[in-house]
Amino acid sequence: MSRIAGVGALALVVTACGAGGSDSGGSSGATGKNSGTKTSKAAEATALPVESTVRKATWTDRSTAHQLKLAPERLARGTAADLEHVQLDDDMKGMVPYYLTVAYTNTGSAPLTQPAPEANFTVTLADGTPGRAISLWNTNPLATASSSALPDDCDKAGPASVAAGDTAKVCRLVLLPKGHKPATVAYADDSGTLLWKVGDGKGDDDAGRLLAEGTTADSVYENISTKSGAVPIRVTPKSVRTGSLDDLSGYELSAAQKNLVPWYVTFEYRNAGKEKLLPTMDDGVGLRSAGGRDIQPLALLDLSFSDTAEGEGIDQCRGSVPHTRLEPDSTLSLCTIHLLPKGDRPAMVSFQGEGESEGKAVKSLMWRAS
């Protein structure tokens, strides 16, 4: 089957959480309106500045890793009208299409059959939110042509094969929320993640919702040790730094975890209430990477049965402190460990409070990680 767009097309939608894989994901279908034979001229898309350094990579197909050199060549922003003939899921309607053209060279010794390294690419926002990639496939055997064409040949399939030493170009169609600026193009495979900046790489601040690093913000946290309810707290991200797997030598890691890189996220919490608070706030910390992955804190099982008050975790990153309470108007710093693929980096750190503030569920706080 050949990929087409517009009338008579079936859109197979991949809700990717990150380039080349995700912690969770799914797919949903959408169909075009009518069949047709005429092809309308592609609308002009707005080209965006994007880093285009060629880098070595692998593309894994059926557990076989193929050697490539690849890079984004062009990123262009279209309009929602480009997909007016495609019936998207309700939560995708109104999203803006971005056309990512990538070039890759087969640097291995064997030809690539049905290659699809473009499927490992995504475009992410400043907070690490990944775009939602869609592929359009012709499912109408009577249609001889698409009724509308997408810019940059993003309605066409990639090559059936690429010989050793040859280069191919293909377009990846990604949807992003309206009113946002992309920050990063990411490629991910089993060997790690590659990142390229879009423009200055800063994207936008989500209308002020994405806070600058180091900014103090208000939240609340449920006091599970008493019946006093939610305690007001002030939360400040203090540092986001990389660590070493050697730091975790005292713990048993899986084979997959041994190929990742630990990052340490430290928050300072101030008790702004009048009640003592059991300091387990590190349970509310999250991280999203520039490659579009949500990375929750690593749970380290301590079998030493130590009764010390040093805190859970490792010397380089201590978490919840047992047998303690955070006194009113006092502060405490807690650290969480997050494992990221090689080459990826934190884009955003978050804190989710617990309980209600002024009768409403407390909102999650987000900060730039760099």
Side-chain angles (χ1 to χ4, degrees):
M1 296 187 294
S2 61
R3 297 178 186 173
I4 68 169
V7 176
L10 173 68
L12 300 179
V13 183
V14 181
T15 54
C17 289
S22 64
D23 298 327
S24 62
S27 63
S28 57
T31 59
K33 297 177 181 178
N34 302 296
S35 62
T37 58
K38 294 182 179 180
T39 302
S40 60
K41 184 178 180 180
E44 189 70 25
T46 303
L48 305 175
V50 60
E51 188 180 359
S52 58
T53 303
V54 177
R55 298 190 177 122
K56 293 180 180 179
T58 61
W59 172 62
T60 303
D61 178 38
R62 298 181 182 89
S63 300
T64 300
H66 304 278
Q67 301 303 309
L68 307 174
K69 285 186 177 180
L70 48 72
E73 281 205 346
R74 172 177 157 90
L75 179 65
R77 181 181 62 248
T79 68
D82 295 347
L83 303 177
E84 62 182 358
H85 295 295
V86 178
Q87 294 181 1
L88 298 171
D89 288 349
D90 288 343
D91 62 342
M92 293 185 182
K93 292 178 179 178
M95 295 182 76
V96 178
Y98 284 79
Y99 307 103
L100 174 64
T101 302
V102 300
Y104 62 91
T105 301
N106 178 5
T107 58
S109 58
L112 301 177
T113 303
Q114 298 296 329
E118 69 275 12
N120 292 22
F121 276 90
T122 192
V123 181
T124 64
L125 301 179
D127 66 356
T129 298
R132 303 179 72 176
I134 65 173
S135 297
L136 305 176
W137 300 82
N138 184 6
T139 59
N140 183 353
L142 300 179
T144 58
S146 166
S147 67
S148 64
L150 294 180
D152 297 353
D153 291 332
C154 232
D155 51 355
K156 293 179 173 60
S161 65
V162 177
D166 283 359
T167 298
K169 293 184 181 181
V170 67
C171 182
R172 178 77 158 156
L173 174 55
V174 180
L175 301 183
L176 289 172
K178 184 179 180 181
H180 289 277
K181 296 179 181 179
T184 308
V185 171
Y187 175 87
D189 194 64
D190 293 347
S191 60
T193 301
L194 300 174
L195 304 173
W196 294 265
K197 291 181 180 179
V198 178
D200 61 6
K202 295 182 178 180
D204 63 90
D205 65 356
D206 194 7
R209 188 163 177 252
L210 182 61
L211 303 173
E213 55 182 325
T215 302
T216 299
D218 295 323
S219 187
V220 298
Y221 207 73
E222 197 77 28
N223 199 348
I224 61 175
S225 62
T226 69
K227 296 182 179 180
S228 60
V231 176
I233 59 175
R234 307 208 74 196
V235 185
T236 307
K238 303 301 289 186
S239 66
V240 180
R241 65 194 193 281
T242 185
S244 168
L245 280 179
D246 291 340
D247 300 341
L248 302 172
S249 59
Y251 294 87
E252 184 174 338
L253 302 177
S254 68
Q257 288 174 328
K258 290 178 181 178
N259 288 321
L260 303 176
V261 178
W263 285 79
Y264 307 141
V265 177
T266 301
F267 277 91
E268 180 185 84
Y269 305 94
R270 176 176 290 277
N271 185 341
K274 298 180 180 179
E275 302 284 340
K276 296 180 181 180
L277 178 63
L278 183 67
T280 60
M281 287 79 73
D282 46 356
D283 291 339
V285 175
L287 180 151
R288 195 178 295 140
S289 75
R293 294 179 180 272
D294 281 305
I295 309 293
Q296 296 305 307
L298 178 65
L300 295 177
L301 181 61
D302 186 356
L303 299 179
S304 65
F305 302 102
S306 172
D307 221 16
T308 67
E310 291 180 349
E312 298 176 358
I314 56 178
D315 290 341
Q316 296 83 356
C317 185
R318 290 289 179 187
S320 299
V321 182
H323 315 303
T324 63
R325 297 293 185 272
L326 182 58
E327 301 282 346
D329 202 32
S330 295
T331 61
L332 177 68
S333 291
L334 302 176
C335 180
T336 53
I337 303 170
H338 306 256
L339 296 179
L340 274 67
K342 295 176 182 178
D344 208 348
R345 61 172 175 78
M348 178 271 290
V349 292
S350 63
F351 175 76
Q352 177 61 61
E354 289 187 357
E356 294 184 347
S357 177
E358 298 179 352
K360 298 181 180 179
V362 62
K363 294 182 178 180
S364 177
L365 300 173
M366 301 190 307
W367 293 265
R368 289 182 184 270
S370 60

